[in-house]
Amino acid sequence: MKLSRMNGLRASAIGALVVSGALVLSACGSDNNTGTPANGEKTSAAASNIKCDGAKGQLLAAGSSAQKGAMDLWVKNFQAACDGVEVNYQAIGSGGGITKFNQGQVAFAGSDSALKEEEVAESAKICKTGKGINLPMVGGPIAIGYKLDGVDNLVLDASTLAKIFDNKITKWNDPAIAKLNPGAKLPDSSIQAFHRSDESGTTQNLGKYLSTAAPADWKHDPKSKSWPAQGGQAANGSSGVATAVKDAEGAIGYFELSYATANKINTVSLNTGAAAPVAATSENASKAIAAAKVKGTGSDMALSLDYATKAEGAYPLILVTYEIACDKGNKAETLPTLKAFLNYTVSEEGQKVLSDAGYAPLPADIAAKVREIVPTLS
């Protein structure tokens, strides 16, 4: 497919993600998820199939650790195939990665939200002849985890969640919660709501979901990667939030689904307006991601997600992780390695590694578009 044909394809809906096994995403902050196989033992991409294309020296990158498990595998395979190459990815969170990228400290950044307009403008100082662009690599659900003795199948909607995280609903037996959970034995006890203390794409995607699906109840900036509301308790990284929820009776918090699985934390099913509440699973998230459209222009592949979908079985609280690089103006000394590495990660071999690690590969049509863009980086 020629690059000139891409604009005609951008308005098309994204095909559903192909999910193999449970989708395992690590935190967006600087933490390690024990539920993600990140030791590089499971791979399906033989190192001999990787094209080095002049890659040499060290390639520095940083950002979201939602993709850390995949990065560990990609780096292991790439370095095994390309002698003398070192790829150093620091999982410091989406905000930290973008900051490092726009300061010229890394060749690319990982982020669970696309660049904001001001971040794109700032990137032009580093890219000089170009700007930062978003290249999607993987997606999945954000789970709402809770600990409430005797309540195993909690259902909430966007409005109720917004009021809980905004400190407007403070008791578990609040009428709004009781209405959504008829027959449940809800205690007359306080809700302990936990949020991220660090800048996070997970926080931003939660904000986008709440402001889209419950605009009357969540009036905070949906673009903020920092927690915007008052009240609640803070913990560092998704691992910190998950640990807090696991340890505190009456707690509720948000984190990637793998943390709930690894820590055996109950998760909320969302009342989206569909016929039945929707559970937080990778399959249900893929149904919501299938409705996304490319909103970026030129070489930018930023996606527009439908956080308010009412489609049957579609879980709307989702995120997509991007690799962010300059379309033009990349440093000459790292450009060959940058292109070779990203060519590998989005290749069929690189995407197969995601399935082996429990991630969801990109939909075929989106992967094909990204494969066209990477070789044009200059």
Side-chain angles (χ1 to χ4, degrees), residues 82-363:
C82 303
D83 292 337
V85 174
E86 179 187 354
V87 180
N88 185 343
Y89 182 83
Q90 296 178 314
I92 60 173
S94 299
I98 291 173
T99 296
K100 281 184 173 288
F101 177 75
N102 279 341
Q103 291 176 348
Q105 298 180 33
V106 295
F108 74 91
S111 177
D112 302 322
S113 289
L115 291 171
K116 294 184 285 188
E117 290 184 9
E118 56 267 30
E119 292 170 337
V120 174
E122 188 178 354
S123 72
K125 300 175 183 177
I126 296 300
C127 300
K128 299 186 183 302
T129 57
K131 62 182 180 181
I133 57 172
N134 304 282
L135 301 173
M137 284 294 168
V138 68
I142 299 172
I144 302 297
Y146 69 97
K147 183 177 183 180
L148 195 60
D149 188 36
V151 181
D152 297 326
N153 299 295
L154 186 66
V155 175
L156 297 174
D157 58 16
S159 174
T160 306
L161 270 177
K163 292 174 182 177
I164 288 173
F165 282 119
D166 208 19
N167 205 35
K168 301 291 177 56
I169 290 179
T170 60
K171 292 285 188 178
W172 277 111
N173 63 349
D174 186 276
I177 301 177
K179 183 178 180 180
L180 291 165
N181 297 272
K185 297 181 179 179
L186 299 169
D188 182 19
S189 58
S190 296
I191 297 173
Q192 298 190 59
F194 287 88
H195 59 263
R196 292 279 289 268
S197 61
D198 54 323
E199 285 199 343
S200 166
T202 311
T203 295
Q204 187 182 52
N205 279 279
L206 173 64
K208 289 180 179 179
Y209 163 70
L210 293 176
S211 64
T212 301
D217 302 303
W218 191 259
K219 298 182 180 299
H220 304 287
D221 181 8
K223 296 181 180 180
S224 177
K225 291 186 176 72
S226 299
W227 186 250
Q230 299 296 317
Q233 302 178 59
N236 186 62
S238 287
S239 63
V241 176
T243 298
V245 171
K246 181 180 180 180
D247 292 343
E249 177 63 23
I252 190 169
Y254 60 95
F255 32 77
E256 290 72 28
L257 180 61
S258 61
Y259 285 94
T261 303
N263 292 284
K264 298 181 180 179
I265 298 173
N266 286 332
T267 60
V268 168
S269 291
L270 295 178
N271 182 334
T272 65
V278 185
T281 68
S282 54
E283 293 86 354
N284 291 344
S286 73
K287 293 177 183 178
I289 295 173
K293 291 180 172 62
V294 177
K295 65 179 181 180
T297 59
S299 297
D300 187 75
M301 291 286 291
L303 304 178
S304 177
L305 303 176
D306 184 3
Y307 296 99
T309 180
K310 297 181 180 180
E312 296 300 326
Y315 184 83
L317 183 44
I318 49 181
L319 62 75
V320 170
T321 300
Y322 301 89
E323 312 307 341
I324 295 168
C326 296
D327 57 354
K328 300 177 182 178
N330 291 284
K331 294 181 180 179
E333 60 270 26
T334 58
L335 180 59
T337 308
L338 171 67
K339 292 171 70 173
F341 182 67
L342 294 183
N343 272 326
Y344 164 57
T345 63
V346 77
S347 69
E348 290 185 9
E349 292 80 5
Q351 291 292 299
K352 286 179 182 178
V353 170
L354 298 180
S355 293
D356 292 339
Y359 285 83
L362 289 175

